[in-house]
């Protein structure tokens, strides 16, 4: 059985991201967002995303990145 554990967000996102994709992000308030995955998406450099979320974050944090 293969392991489903990865070392970081970049490894978890490997091969999944592409320009123009739609991403749905869960979370509740700023305490329940997938902040490491959001940063990993930003760091990847993917462009022209459509993001669906119930929480937009704030400037400089969460989806506000």
């Amino acid at each position: 059985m293969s392991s489903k554990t990865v070392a970081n967000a970049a490894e978890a996102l490997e091969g999944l991201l592409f320009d123009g994709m739609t991403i749905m992000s869960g979370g509740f308030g700023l305490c329940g967002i997938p902040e490491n995955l959001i940063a990993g998406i930003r760091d990847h450099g993917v462009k022209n995303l459509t993001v669906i979320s119930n929480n937009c974050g704030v400037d400089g944090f969460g989806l506000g990145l």
Side-chain angles (χ1 to χ4, degrees), residues 24-62:
M24 182 175 275
S25 173
F28 182 78
L30 293 178
C31 61
I33 61 168
E35 63 186 277
N36 291 324
L37 287 176
I38 292 168
I41 293 167
R42 178 206 56 203
D43 294 346
H44 183 274
V46 67
K47 305 286 185 205
N48 301 317
L49 299 175
T50 299
V51 180
I52 303 165
S53 177
N54 65 337
N55 178 13
C56 290
V58 295
D59 290 347
F61 188 75

